[in-house]
Amino acid sequence: MHTKKFKHLLLMGVPVAATTFAIQAHAQQNSDSPTEVLVTATHLERRPEDIAGTVTVVGDEQIRDMVANNLADVVRYQPGLGMDSAARGGDEGFRIRGIGGNRVLTVIDGVRSNDMYAAGPASYGKDSFEVDDLKAVEVIRGPASVLYGADALGGVVVLRTRDASDYLDSENRLYTAVRASSASVNSQSRIGATIAGQSGTLGSVLQLTRREFSEQEVKGEGQWNPQDGESQNVFWKTDWQAAAGHQLTLAIDANDETIDTLLENELSSSVSLSTGEDTTERRRVSLSHDWQLESALADSVSTHLHWQRTDAEQFTRQLRTSYAFVNPRNPASFAGSQAERLTSFGFNQDTASAMLLAEKSWSSPGISHALVYGVSIERTDTERPRYRQDRQLNTGETSQAIPSYPMAPPELFPNKTFPDTETKRSGFFAQNEVSLMAGRLTVIPGLRYDRYEMTPRPDTLFVGADSITNGSGEFQVRAFDQDKVSANLGVIFDINDGYSVFAQYAEGFRPPNFDEANQAFVNLGHGYATLPNPNLSAETSQGFEAGIRGRVSKGQFTVSVFDNHYDDFIESSLVGTADGVMLFQSDNIGRARIYGLETSLDWQLSDALSWRNAVSLSRGRDKISERELNSVDPMTWVTGLRYQTSARWSAEAIATLTADKNHVAEPGQITGDAYQVVDLLGHYQLSSNAELRFGVFNVLDEQYAPWSRIRGLQASDNEAVANSQAPGINARLALDWHF
């Protein structure tokens, strides 16, 4: 048998056999297993097995065990989930079952993160969150617009921050701690402090975290551009039990990150020096009121007010040849002159939102209801300032009219590629859990109405496409508004106390954003233009999922299949030419299908030894071209053995086995090789106040490239492939000391 086929069968056979073993064991053991962490992503506190779909939860203990430094680390051992990243943009956002970018919604304590935006070499991601502040990350795998509205096309990532009660109990009313860690993969050092306290009905927690880091290591011949970075984060949350049945919560967090990069990849015969300074600043204020009112309309009502602003700037300084000072009367100047080029490209978003959630439970003979309903409104202001200036070194003369070559039509700065935009989202939803047959059958219908309004606000810096339309207004930006009704339906049937089957149909949608609908930009020097399209429709998705779950004294398992269909994908394409200028425009031209199988098994082999497994196998097709979707990861199996005889210490070995990826979207694109990576994790309680955690990753020093890093690259681009390899063996060490 061929080696690759053997590996594929091994990947398939062991988890299936393990799940079969779990089902057989369930037939012999009918006792209930311990209660698991509650999931809040569905707006009701539920155990994962009480949800008609798949919600992945990574809790506080898991985050600390892997010494996670970012959100990519948090989902390291979650097949089917990933984090997209860019060289200068950092983490661009989660990818769920092959769908990522702005098609996945990320929220922190109820407020959406900033959008991901990429244009050419500039990229602005969704990574301005400090993992030290998080007590759980919950991921809804699949469409979820009924509960979360616009942009939950492929799924939702819910980030939950810590409360004072996470550190305190009835006997300990004050908690202080310091934290320190290091990571060899990017020479990262972290130091942090926490203080939490409770005085009467008032509880507060304050956390400070600082990180310093450099570029990430790469196994093999590749390398990243040299970097030096730092981040500072402040997080404060206060809970006040104002009166019986009333609780107020105020949360404030601020995150600043600066990364200095020597852009060696941009050096050429015309560029002798290129450096970048990328800064991201995020500020958030959240206020919530929880009211236990026990009325005819609601048992409880939660009101949430949020404000968040994210400012991102990519500043680049180059010493290079400039053609901004060419004299048409002097042919000798056509060769250009040495100049200092300063470039500042920004992406800023300001969001204010309000949401009201209500819960109501009631029952009658043979039937019970758990209803959650709510209304939300949100406004986001987006701007994209762009500035560039060349300064001739020998004369000091400056110019903001920058041509790409001698006598080319210059690009005039400052400018904006799309106008400042105001986006309003509003919606109303209701979801009811109906319990029948003495609780054995649960039917969960849900419905939501959303309205989406986008208003461009052009100013003098937004020129649009007038330079190729002679001011005719043919391609003017326009306001956009659309409404959408989304539905879902879930069913859970308990076969017995620990064994159930489930199925779910869910819908999602994502309206066109500021960039897709209203980008209007002309570059005559390179002969192209992007045009607005006010006739775009929202992208939509329909997700189907069904599975079986088992939960017994020794462990739990899940097997599920899913089939997600995506319509009206917004993509940019060439639509024609005008006076030799190529015209590109976004349109609803894409359709896709992603389907697959996911399984998980957690089993207690003995009092000291536990075994965990998770498998994801999926396939994606472009339904228009019938080509593969590169965004879908190859089959992955994560399996780990944990040994722990007491609370004082533990050790765990985790293997990630990934199959090869032979099907790609375009001829000539790189395929992925199978690989196996082994990590070791552990912790040791030095004393009642001090704890040491460590991780050794890629213990066997395997050279491999995760598919998310190389997908879409040309197989012949050896340099890009080498730079996309994962790190070799590396380690993390963390010390927590509380007093």
mmCIF file of all heavy atoms in Angstrom, residues 12 21 70 78 105 174 219 222 232 265 310 317 356-357 464 479 617 628 638 643 673 687 711:
data_model
loop_
_atom_site.group_PDB
_atom_site.id
_atom_site.type_symbol
_atom_site.label_atom_id
_atom_site.label_comp_id
_atom_site.label_asym_id
_atom_site.label_seq_id
_atom_site.Cartn_x
_atom_site.Cartn_y
_atom_site.Cartn_z
ATOM 1 N N MET A 12 -8.268 8.278 9.094
ATOM 2 C CA MET A 12 -9.700 7.996 9.136
ATOM 3 C C MET A 12 -10.040 6.910 10.142
ATOM 4 O O MET A 12 -11.005 6.992 10.887
ATOM 5 C CB MET A 12 -10.186 7.557 7.747
ATOM 6 C CG MET A 12 -10.352 8.705 6.779
ATOM 7 S SD MET A 12 -11.678 9.826 7.260
ATOM 8 C CE MET A 12 -13.092 8.767 7.038
ATOM 9 N N PHE A 21 -15.772 2.619 19.773
ATOM 10 C CA PHE A 21 -15.497 2.165 21.130
ATOM 11 C C PHE A 21 -16.317 2.943 22.147
ATOM 12 O O PHE A 21 -16.854 2.386 23.103
ATOM 13 C CB PHE A 21 -13.998 2.333 21.416
ATOM 14 C CG PHE A 21 -13.634 2.198 22.867
ATOM 15 C CD1 PHE A 21 -13.638 0.969 23.488
ATOM 16 C CD2 PHE A 21 -13.298 3.318 23.613
ATOM 17 C CE1 PHE A 21 -13.297 0.845 24.834
ATOM 18 C CE2 PHE A 21 -12.971 3.212 24.948
ATOM 19 C CZ PHE A 21 -12.957 1.964 25.554
ATOM 20 N N ASN A 70 -1.629 34.466 21.435
ATOM 21 C CA ASN A 70 -2.534 35.160 20.516
ATOM 22 C C ASN A 70 -3.701 34.246 20.195
ATOM 23 O O ASN A 70 -3.755 33.089 20.639
ATOM 24 C CB ASN A 70 -1.785 35.595 19.243
ATOM 25 C CG ASN A 70 -1.007 34.443 18.614
ATOM 26 O OD1 ASN A 70 -1.518 33.335 18.489
ATOM 27 N ND2 ASN A 70 0.231 34.704 18.216
ATOM 28 N N GLN A 78 -7.772 22.862 17.274
ATOM 29 C CA GLN A 78 -9.173 22.785 16.878
ATOM 30 C C GLN A 78 -9.267 22.587 15.366
ATOM 31 O O GLN A 78 -9.314 23.550 14.606
ATOM 32 C CB GLN A 78 -9.927 24.049 17.306
ATOM 33 C CG GLN A 78 -9.843 24.382 18.773
ATOM 34 C CD GLN A 78 -10.466 23.309 19.640
ATOM 35 O OE1 GLN A 78 -11.404 22.642 19.242
ATOM 36 N NE2 GLN A 78 -9.937 23.133 20.844
ATOM 37 N N LEU A 105 -17.952 36.575 11.755
ATOM 38 C CA LEU A 105 -18.136 37.677 12.692
ATOM 39 C C LEU A 105 -17.409 37.374 13.997
ATOM 40 O O LEU A 105 -17.549 36.282 14.555
ATOM 41 C CB LEU A 105 -19.626 37.883 12.960
ATOM 42 C CG LEU A 105 -19.997 38.983 13.966
ATOM 43 C CD1 LEU A 105 -19.564 40.345 13.462
ATOM 44 C CD2 LEU A 105 -21.501 38.962 14.235
ATOM 45 N N LEU A 174 -9.922 39.490 47.950
ATOM 46 C CA LEU A 174 -8.882 40.260 47.277
ATOM 47 C C LEU A 174 -7.915 39.300 46.607
ATOM 48 O O LEU A 174 -7.496 38.311 47.208
ATOM 49 C CB LEU A 174 -8.130 41.156 48.264
ATOM 50 C CG LEU A 174 -6.996 42.017 47.667
ATOM 51 C CD1 LEU A 174 -7.564 43.037 46.686
ATOM 52 C CD2 LEU A 174 -6.201 42.706 48.776
ATOM 53 N N LYS A 219 11.465 27.363 9.851
ATOM 54 C CA LYS A 219 12.306 26.183 9.666
ATOM 55 C C LYS A 219 12.748 26.094 8.214
ATOM 56 O O LYS A 219 11.944 26.234 7.293
ATOM 57 C CB LYS A 219 11.510 24.931 10.046
ATOM 58 C CG LYS A 219 12.217 23.610 9.791
ATOM 59 C CD LYS A 219 13.340 23.375 10.778
ATOM 60 C CE LYS A 219 13.911 21.976 10.588
ATOM 61 N NZ LYS A 219 15.048 21.721 11.500
ATOM 62 N N GLY A 222 14.013 29.672 4.524
ATOM 63 C CA GLY A 222 13.253 30.912 4.468
ATOM 64 C C GLY A 222 13.455 31.785 5.689
ATOM 65 O O GLY A 222 14.026 31.366 6.704
ATOM 66 N N GLN A 232 0.846 46.964 24.506
ATOM 67 C CA GLN A 232 0.413 47.251 25.876
ATOM 68 C C GLN A 232 -1.107 47.137 25.911
ATOM 69 O O GLN A 232 -1.792 47.598 24.997
ATOM 70 C CB GLN A 232 0.834 48.655 26.327
ATOM 71 C CG GLN A 232 2.338 48.883 26.371
ATOM 72 C CD GLN A 232 2.916 49.305 25.046
ATOM 73 O OE1 GLN A 232 2.246 49.945 24.252
ATOM 74 N NE2 GLN A 232 4.156 48.943 24.798
ATOM 75 N N ASN A 265 12.096 42.423 1.701
ATOM 76 C CA ASN A 265 11.481 41.899 0.481
ATOM 77 C C ASN A 265 11.182 42.986 -0.532
ATOM 78 O O ASN A 265 10.920 42.691 -1.706
ATOM 79 C CB ASN A 265 10.187 41.158 0.833
ATOM 80 C CG ASN A 265 9.137 42.085 1.440
ATOM 81 O OD1 ASN A 265 9.404 42.777 2.414
ATOM 82 N ND2 ASN A 265 7.940 42.095 0.870
ATOM 83 N N THR A 310 -11.107 51.693 16.511
ATOM 84 C CA THR A 310 -9.834 51.090 16.119
ATOM 85 C C THR A 310 -9.182 51.978 15.071
ATOM 86 O O THR A 310 -9.795 52.288 14.040
ATOM 87 C CB THR A 310 -10.034 49.681 15.546
ATOM 88 O OG1 THR A 310 -10.695 48.863 16.512
ATOM 89 C CG2 THR A 310 -8.693 49.052 15.194
ATOM 90 N N ARG A 317 8.833 54.098 5.202
ATOM 91 C CA ARG A 317 9.874 55.043 4.773
ATOM 92 C C ARG A 317 10.824 54.311 3.831
ATOM 93 O O ARG A 317 11.328 53.232 4.166
ATOM 94 C CB ARG A 317 10.652 55.587 5.969
ATOM 95 C CG ARG A 317 11.807 56.509 5.584
ATOM 96 C CD ARG A 317 12.544 57.024 6.801
ATOM 97 N NE ARG A 317 13.665 57.883 6.429
ATOM 98 C CZ ARG A 317 14.922 57.447 6.263
ATOM 99 N NH1 ARG A 317 15.205 56.163 6.456
ATOM 100 N NH2 ARG A 317 15.882 58.288 5.911
ATOM 101 N N LEU A 356 -30.729 44.932 23.266
ATOM 102 C CA LEU A 356 -31.576 44.502 24.364
ATOM 103 C C LEU A 356 -31.923 43.038 24.152
ATOM 104 O O LEU A 356 -32.412 42.652 23.084
ATOM 105 C CB LEU A 356 -32.841 45.352 24.437
ATOM 106 C CG LEU A 356 -33.787 45.079 25.614
ATOM 107 C CD1 LEU A 356 -34.442 46.386 26.060
ATOM 108 C CD2 LEU A 356 -34.868 44.062 25.243
ATOM 109 N N LEU A 357 -31.644 42.213 25.163
ATOM 110 C CA LEU A 357 -31.939 40.783 25.124
ATOM 111 C C LEU A 357 -32.902 40.445 26.252
ATOM 112 O O LEU A 357 -32.731 40.914 27.381
ATOM 113 C CB LEU A 357 -30.668 39.951 25.287
ATOM 114 C CG LEU A 357 -29.665 39.967 24.144
ATOM 115 C CD1 LEU A 357 -28.401 39.221 24.550
ATOM 116 C CD2 LEU A 357 -30.270 39.328 22.898
ATOM 117 N N GLY A 464 -12.725 59.562 -6.760
ATOM 118 C CA GLY A 464 -13.568 58.604 -7.458
ATOM 119 C C GLY A 464 -13.051 58.282 -8.835
ATOM 120 O O GLY A 464 -11.848 58.275 -9.083
ATOM 121 N N ALA A 479 -25.739 55.566 -1.958
ATOM 122 C CA ALA A 479 -26.176 54.928 -0.718
ATOM 123 C C ALA A 479 -26.722 53.543 -1.035
ATOM 124 O O ALA A 479 -27.210 53.278 -2.144
ATOM 125 C CB ALA A 479 -27.226 55.778 -0.026
ATOM 126 N N LEU A 617 -12.636 16.679 8.410
ATOM 127 C CA LEU A 617 -12.455 16.278 7.019
ATOM 128 C C LEU A 617 -13.489 17.034 6.199
ATOM 129 O O LEU A 617 -14.690 16.866 6.407
ATOM 130 C CB LEU A 617 -12.653 14.765 6.858
ATOM 131 C CG LEU A 617 -12.720 14.229 5.420
ATOM 132 C CD1 LEU A 617 -11.410 14.480 4.691
ATOM 133 C CD2 LEU A 617 -13.060 12.738 5.422
ATOM 134 N N GLU A 628 -11.746 23.522 -7.082
ATOM 135 C CA GLU A 628 -11.602 23.370 -5.641
ATOM 136 C C GLU A 628 -11.517 24.744 -4.963
ATOM 137 O O GLU A 628 -11.078 25.726 -5.573
ATOM 138 C CB GLU A 628 -10.329 22.582 -5.310
ATOM 139 C CG GLU A 628 -10.386 21.132 -5.710
ATOM 140 C CD GLU A 628 -11.343 20.327 -4.858
ATOM 141 O OE1 GLU A 628 -11.380 20.538 -3.627
ATOM 142 O OE2 GLU A 628 -12.060 19.473 -5.409
ATOM 143 N N VAL A 638 -6.236 15.747 15.491
ATOM 144 C CA VAL A 638 -5.484 16.147 16.677
ATOM 145 C C VAL A 638 -5.781 15.138 17.775
ATOM 146 O O VAL A 638 -6.949 14.902 18.110
ATOM 147 C CB VAL A 638 -5.865 17.565 17.140
ATOM 148 C CG1 VAL A 638 -5.152 17.901 18.449
ATOM 149 C CG2 VAL A 638 -5.511 18.588 16.077
ATOM 150 N N TYR A 643 -1.471 13.072 31.285
ATOM 151 C CA TYR A 643 -1.224 12.307 32.502
ATOM 152 C C TYR A 643 -1.204 13.262 33.686
ATOM 153 O O TYR A 643 -0.469 14.244 33.687
ATOM 154 C CB TYR A 643 0.119 11.566 32.411
ATOM 155 C CG TYR A 643 0.372 10.632 33.577
ATOM 156 C CD1 TYR A 643 -0.263 9.397 33.647
ATOM 157 C CD2 TYR A 643 1.239 10.992 34.601
ATOM 158 C CE1 TYR A 643 -0.038 8.532 34.716
ATOM 159 C CE2 TYR A 643 1.477 10.149 35.675
ATOM 160 C CZ TYR A 643 0.827 8.917 35.725
ATOM 161 O OH TYR A 643 1.041 8.076 36.784
ATOM 162 N N ASP A 673 1.813 18.921 1.366
ATOM 163 C CA ASP A 673 2.300 17.602 1.780
ATOM 164 C C ASP A 673 1.750 17.251 3.160
ATOM 165 O O ASP A 673 1.519 18.124 3.996
ATOM 166 C CB ASP A 673 3.828 17.584 1.830
ATOM 167 C CG ASP A 673 4.456 17.739 0.454
ATOM 168 O OD1 ASP A 673 3.824 17.299 -0.529
ATOM 169 O OD2 ASP A 673 5.563 18.300 0.369
ATOM 170 N N SER A 687 4.209 26.147 44.408
ATOM 171 C CA SER A 687 3.729 26.346 45.774
ATOM 172 C C SER A 687 2.251 26.680 45.695
ATOM 173 O O SER A 687 1.666 26.683 44.604
ATOM 174 C CB SER A 687 4.505 27.477 46.470
ATOM 175 O OG SER A 687 4.196 28.732 45.868
ATOM 176 N N ARG A 711 -1.491 28.300 0.715
ATOM 177 C CA ARG A 711 -2.554 28.140 -0.277
ATOM 178 C C ARG A 711 -2.550 29.315 -1.247
ATOM 179 O O ARG A 711 -2.365 30.470 -0.873
ATOM 180 C CB ARG A 711 -3.913 28.021 0.411
ATOM 181 C CG ARG A 711 -4.403 29.261 1.089
ATOM 182 C CD ARG A 711 -5.846 29.063 1.556
ATOM 183 N NE ARG A 711 -6.427 30.302 2.010
ATOM 184 C CZ ARG A 711 -6.467 30.710 3.263
ATOM 185 N NH1 ARG A 711 -5.940 29.941 4.209
ATOM 186 N NH2 ARG A 711 -7.024 31.860 3.583
#
